[in-house]
Amino acid sequence: MGERKGTNKYYPPDFDPVKHGSLNGYHKTHPLRERARKLSQGILIIRFEMPYNIWCDGCKNHIGMGVRYNAEKKKVGNYYTTPIYRFRMKCHLCVNYIEMQTDPATCDYLIVCGANRKEERWDMADNEQILTTERADKQKLETDAMFKLDHSGKDQEKLKRALPSLSELQDYQSSKKDDFQLNSALRRRFRTEKKVQAEQEEQDDSVRTRTNLSIPLLPERDEDRRLAALLTYQAADSYEDRKHSKRKEISSRSWFTSSSSSSSPGGAAGSLLLKLSMQGKEAAVAKALASSPGPLICRRCPGGRTQPCGENWKAEPQREEAARKAEPQREEAARKAEPQREEAARKAEPQREEAARTDGSGSSETLVNAVEEADEGLTKAKHAGKERGDGLGALSSIMAEYSDSDSDPGL
């Protein structure tokens, strides 16, 4: 069991005041305990408080005035009869040691090593403060009567210059001497500020509830009000008005421009689209004629029944011969028309892109769809031309055969 400090009133039976002197002597312990562990070296552990702001040389951190340390205190000399003490302490932010000592000559502390003082001193004369009397002046005031008389005259002049300011300060302090009036004014001001603060807090709560926020709001400033007045968060026209005006513009605008404006990119695109649509219509008509499901011309055969003229054995060889002769010409026409169709599509591509880029409304989509339909019409026209050639050749053969068969008296 460790030793205990003798602070109680218990004295053991073998305690002898003459021999032990005190309970600490009986327990063979020092009254300062661990603080006196280096007392044989003349060092005492004390609680030291930093007298001013410093910068540590080890970690370069700032150590503020009032920070306390466990410092080793020892005597290193005398200033006349006043002892000079040195304090050694370890920085709480690093392993650097700081040493400071007293300076009785200036009533200050000096840094020996391990730190630098943060310069916050000023000249008392520049701040118009009362200057402390130097030691040499004190000796002259005590020994030299003429110097004392001259010094007294200068003090009287200083008093005359400072008397108005001192009188004003005394009057102000005397007017504020009533504690009850001061307390009443302070409480009145506090109630007014508290009421204003409660109203502001209520307004802030309503804003936070409306905007679903949970952050503290700063007070408004004139600059913020001016900036908020310049911002607009709503369009001049509503959504319905803008949609109505857009539809009206689309409905009143022509899909294809006139011939007078064909020089522009939009006019050229409109004329080209018109031509392509006409060609597509012609191709559709030709295809409808060529793909008719029933026979075009029928004739009455012996026995009172009817049959298509295409099934007549006399017309079949002539129709096949005409189709065989027309096949090379049809292929040649299709081969010659292919470059023209590709050239027309290539020229229409930039104008179609320009029309789609310049007009972002529904008319651009209509133009693009018209161009695509025209391209599809050209493709259909190509195939319809082949079928149309076959149909027309067969039709001419059938009509010739029909005329022959009708004129034959044996049928």
Side-chain angles (χ1 to χ4, degrees):
M1 184 175 180
E3 298 179 357
R4 297 180 61 188
K5 187 176 181 180
T7 56
N8 51 16
K9 300 298 183 180
Y10 175 75
Y11 290 88
D14 57 346
F15 173 75
D16 187 2
V18 177
K19 180 180 177 181
H20 301 103
S22 64
L23 289 175
N24 290 321
Y26 174 80
H27 292 292
K28 296 181 181 181
T29 59
H30 195 275
L32 299 179
R33 307 291 290 174
E34 292 298 325
R35 293 171 55 189
R37 64 179 181 272
K38 295 184 180 180
L39 198 60
S40 60
Q41 304 175 15
I43 298 174
L44 179 65
I45 308 299
I46 65 167
R47 193 67 173 167
F48 182 79
E49 185 174 333
M50 194 64 63
Y52 42 74
N53 297 323
I54 65 172
W55 299 96
C56 178
D57 288 345
C59 57
K60 307 300 180 182
N61 287 320
H62 175 264
I63 300 177
M65 179 176 61
V67 180
R68 296 180 179 181
Y69 295 95
N70 292 330
E72 298 179 357
K73 173 186 173 183
K74 65 179 179 179
K75 182 180 179 182
V76 294
N78 290 315
Y79 176 74
Y80 294 100
T81 57
T82 304
I84 299 175
Y85 294 102
R86 181 171 295 180
F87 308 94
R88 186 174 185 267
M89 67 210 81
K90 181 179 175 295
C91 176
H92 67 287
L93 300 173
C94 62
V95 297
N96 181 49
Y97 279 88
I98 303 172
E99 293 187 8
M100 303 179 69
Q101 70 180 22
T102 59
D103 186 11
T106 59
C107 299
D108 201 357
Y109 287 87
L110 298 178
I111 298 177
V112 179
C113 63
N116 290 318
R117 181 170 182 171
K118 184 179 180 181
E119 291 297 335
E120 295 178 335
R121 291 174 287 186
W122 60 88
D123 190 0
M124 300 177 67
D126 295 340
N127 294 338
E128 298 181 357
Q129 295 179 346
I130 299 176
L131 302 178
T132 58
T133 305
E134 297 293 337
R135 182 176 180 84
D137 295 340
K138 289 181 180 180
Q139 291 180 355
K140 288 184 179 181
L141 289 174
E142 294 174 358
T143 58
D144 193 347
M146 295 299 297
F147 182 79
K148 183 178 180 180
L149 181 62
D150 186 16
H151 194 273
S152 300
K154 292 180 180 179
D155 291 342
Q156 293 294 332
E157 293 178 359
K158 290 181 180 179
L159 179 60
K160 290 180 181 180
R161 291 194 300 268
L163 189 60
S165 300
L166 293 176
S167 301
E168 184 179 356
L169 290 175
Q170 290 176 356
D171 296 340
Y172 180 77
Q173 291 178 355
S174 61
S175 63
K176 300 294 184 181
K177 192 175 182 180
D178 191 354
D179 296 337
F180 178 76
Q181 294 294 337
L182 289 176
N183 191 15
S184 300
L186 183 61
R187 290 174 64 85
R188 190 181 307 110
R189 180 180 178 183
F190 175 73
R191 284 195 296 269
T192 304
E193 292 180 355
K194 187 176 181 181
K195 184 178 180 180
V196 173
Q197 185 178 2
E199 293 177 356
Q200 185 65 33
E201 187 67 23
E202 184 178 357
Q203 295 178 2
D204 293 347
D205 291 340
S206 63
V207 173
R208 281 193 289 264
T209 303
R210 186 173 65 254
T211 57
N212 195 18
L213 296 176
S214 60
I215 59 176
L217 302 180
L218 298 177
E220 295 183 357
R221 297 182 300 175
D222 295 337
E223 182 180 356
D224 297 336
R225 295 191 186 96
R226 290 194 299 268
L227 182 59
L230 297 176
L231 299 178
T232 303
Y233 297 101
Q234 186 175 2
D237 299 333
S238 63
Y239 172 74
E240 295 295 335
D241 295 340
R242 287 187 279 108
K243 184 171 67 173
H244 180 69
S245 61
K246 194 67 175 179
R247 288 180 176 177
K248 185 176 180 181
E249 179 185 356
I250 294 173
S251 61
S252 61
R253 184 172 52 196
S254 177
W255 288 6
F256 303 103
T257 57
S258 60
S259 58
S260 60
S261 59
S262 60
S263 58
S264 60
S271 61
L272 179 60
L273 292 175
L274 183 59
K275 294 178 180 179
L276 294 176
S277 63
M278 295 300 294
Q279 293 178 4
K281 291 180 180 179
E282 294 177 357
V285 173
K287 183 178 180 181
L289 292 176
S291 60
S292 179
L296 294 179
I297 301 175
C298 297
R299 66 184 297 269
R300 186 176 297 273
C301 297
R305 62 183 182 87
T306 59
Q307 64 176 1
C309 295
E311 297 177 359
N312 195 352
W313 59 274
K314 294 182 178 181
E316 185 65 23
Q318 297 178 3
R319 185 173 63 83
E320 293 179 357
E321 183 66 22
R324 186 170 59 254
K325 292 180 179 180
E327 183 66 26
Q329 299 177 359
R330 187 167 57 250
E331 292 180 357
E332 183 67 22
R335 186 171 60 255
K336 291 181 180 180
E338 183 67 22
Q340 297 178 0
R341 189 181 68 83
E342 294 179 355
E343 183 68 20
R346 185 173 55 80
K347 291 181 179 180
E349 182 66 23
Q351 297 174 358
R352 183 167 65 247
E353 293 178 356
E354 182 67 23
R357 183 171 60 257
T358 54
D359 189 3
S361 63
S363 60
S364 62
E365 298 178 358
T366 306
L367 292 175
V368 172
N369 294 333
V371 172
E372 293 178 354
E373 291 178 0
D375 291 341
E376 184 179 357
L378 288 176
T379 306
K380 292 179 179 180
K382 177 182 176 182
H383 297 288
K386 294 174 65 178
E387 297 176 358
R388 187 179 181 183
D390 294 340
L392 291 178
L395 181 59
S396 61
S397 301
I398 292 171
M399 292 178 66
E401 181 65 24
Y402 184 75
S403 61
D404 295 339
S405 61
D406 289 342
S407 60
D408 188 0
L411 294 178

